[in-house]
C-alpha cells in the first residue's frame, strides 16, 4: 500500500508582527524568514517523519529544485514532482502574531496541474493505494474522479475551505480532515459551536469518516454512530502554522499502520503540539522519535 500526496508546494515568506496589519496601515515586521511550506509539502513531510513512505506529486517553477532536495532529505519520493519553467513556484505571505497567523496564497505552479499530469502520475498507483489531497491545487475534480475510478482510497483535507469544494465529487471521498472552521463550512453552517458543527457534519455526511481538529478543544473522529474525542495537549503556542498539516500526516500514518483511531488521534495531537511550539511550517514538524 502506497500513499500518494498530490499537493501544493510554496515558498513561505514569514513576517513576525507586533499586531496584524490593519487596512491603510504600514507596519514594519519584527523578523522575516523564507521557509519551505504549502499544505501539500508539509503533509508529505509529516507523513515521512511519522515513518510512512510517501510519494509527493505536484508542480514547481524553474527554481523548484530546492523543494525536490528538501523533500528527498526527509525520504519523500519526488519522482512525480514536475518542474515547469513557464510557471512561478507557489508562495505564501504569512503574518505571525502572538501565535496566530494570517496567510495570503499565490498558487503559481500549483494551479497549473492539468489532466495530463494527473494521468501520468496515477498510472503508477492502484486500488491498494491511498490518495491524500488538500485544496491548494488545480484540476481537483478530475483528480478525484480518476483516483476513485482506480479504486484508490481518497483522504481530503479541505483546507483552505472555499466554495469550489462543493463542486468536487465529495461522494468519492473516504475521509475528510477539517478544522472547526472548515467543518462548519463543509456542513454549510455559520456557527462556531462545536456541538452544532459535529451534529451538522454527521447529518450531512453520515457515511463518511470525518476528523475534525478544534485547537484547544482537542480533536474528534466521527463515523456513523461512532464519536471519539481526544483532548489537546496544552503547550505554549509560538506559531500555529502547519499544525493542521502535522495532524493530518501523523493521523493518516498511524491509521495506515494499525487502524486504531484513538491511538492515531493521540499521536497526531502530540505531534501538532510540538509543531506549534516552533516557528515556520515544515521545519517545525517533529520526527516521530521526539514524541
Ligand atoms: O498550512 C500551512 C501552509 O498553508 C503554509 O505552509 C502555506 O504555504 C499555506 O499553504
Amino acid at each position: 500500500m502506497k500513499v500518494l500526496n498530490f499537493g501544493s508546494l510554496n515558498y513561505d515568506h514569514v513576517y513576525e508582527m507586533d499586531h496584524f496589519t490593519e487596512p491603510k496601515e504600514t507596519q514594519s515586521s519584527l523578523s522575516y524568514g523564507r521557509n519551505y511550506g504549502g499544505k501539500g509539502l508539509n503533509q508529505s513531510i509529516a507523513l515521512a517523519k511519522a515513518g510512512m513512505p510517501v510519494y509527493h506529486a505536484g508542480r514547481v517553477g524553474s527554481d523548484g529544485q530546492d523543494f525536490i532536495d528538501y523533500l528527498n532529505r526527509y525520504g519523500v519520493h519526488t519522482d512525480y514532482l514536475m518542474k515547469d519553467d513557464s510557471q512561478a513556484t507557489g508562495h505564501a505571505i504569512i503574518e505571525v502574531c502572538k501565535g496566530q497567523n494570517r496567510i495570503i496564497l499565490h498558487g503559481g505552479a500549483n494551479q497549473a496541474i492539468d489532466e495530463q499530469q494527473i494521468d501520468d502520475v496515477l498510472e503508477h498507483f492502484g486500488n491498494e493505494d491511498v490518495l491524500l489531497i488538500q485544496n491548494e491545487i488545480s484540476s481537483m475534480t478530475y483528480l478525484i474522479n480518476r483516483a476513485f475510478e482506480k479504486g484508490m482510497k481518497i483522504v481530503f483535507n479541505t483546507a483552505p475551505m472555499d466554495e469550489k469544494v462543493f463542486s468536487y465529487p465529495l461522494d468519492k471521498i473516504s475521509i475528510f480532515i477539517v478544522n472547526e472552521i472548515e467543518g462548519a463550512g463543509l456542513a454549510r453552517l455559520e456557527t462556531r459551536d462545536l456541538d452544532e458543527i459535529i451534529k451538522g457534519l454527521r447529518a450531512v455526511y453520515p457515511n463518511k469518516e470525518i476528523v475534525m481538529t478544534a485547537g484547544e478543544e482537542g480533536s474528534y473522529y466521527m463515523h456513523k454512530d461512532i464519536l471519539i474525542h481526544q483532548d489537546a495537549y496544552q503547550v505554549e503556542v509560538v506559531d500555529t502554522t502547519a499544525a493542521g498539516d502535522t495532524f493530518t500526516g501523523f493521523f493518516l500514518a498511524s491509521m495506515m499502520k494499525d487502524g486504531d483511531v484513538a491511538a492515531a488521534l493521540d499521536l497526531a495531537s502530540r505531534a501538532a503540539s510540538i509543531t506549534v511550539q516552533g516557528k515556520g511550517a515544515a521545519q517545525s514538524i517533529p520526527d516521530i522519535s521526539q514524541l
Side-chain angles (χ1 to χ4, degrees), residues 206-261:
N207 298 315
K208 302 290 180 195
E209 291 179 78
I210 303 174
V211 179
M212 183 172 82
T213 59
E216 289 180 2
E217 304 303 319
S219 51
Y220 298 84
Y221 170 89
M222 312 155 218
H223 186 216
K224 298 187 176 160
D225 55 350
I226 300 169
L227 177 64
I228 300 175
H229 176 247
Q230 164 70 46
D231 283 337
Y233 287 87
Q234 304 298 331
V235 295
E236 199 172 319
V237 176
V238 173
D239 178 2
T240 56
T241 310
D245 301 328
T246 304
F247 190 100
T248 297
F250 275 77
F251 177 81
L252 186 56
S254 183
M255 284 294 281
M256 287 182 68
K257 272 181 204 150
D258 59 17
D260 181 337
V261 175

Side-chain angles (χ1 to χ4, degrees), residues 176-191:
F176 288 106
I177 303 184
V178 296
N179 65 20
E180 72 274 39
I181 314 271
E182 292 146 8
L186 197 60
R188 294 228 179 253
L189 295 170
E190 297 287 328
T191 182

Side-chain angles (χ1 to χ4, degrees), residues 10 12 37-39 42 92 94 103 105 136 241-242 245 281:
N10 294 329
D12 284 355
K39 294 184 197 304
N42 298 337
I94 305 182
I103 302 180
L105 279 181
E136 286 188 344
T241 310
D245 301 328

Side-chain angles (χ1 to χ4, degrees), residues 63-83:
D63 55 350
Q65 185 59 40
D66 289 356
F67 284 89
I68 295 175
D69 296 342
Y70 187 77
L71 286 164
N72 286 340
R73 202 184 307 160
Y74 294 100
V76 177
H77 299 278
T78 51
D79 305 356
Y80 311 124
L81 189 51
M82 184 174 163
K83 267 200 269 177

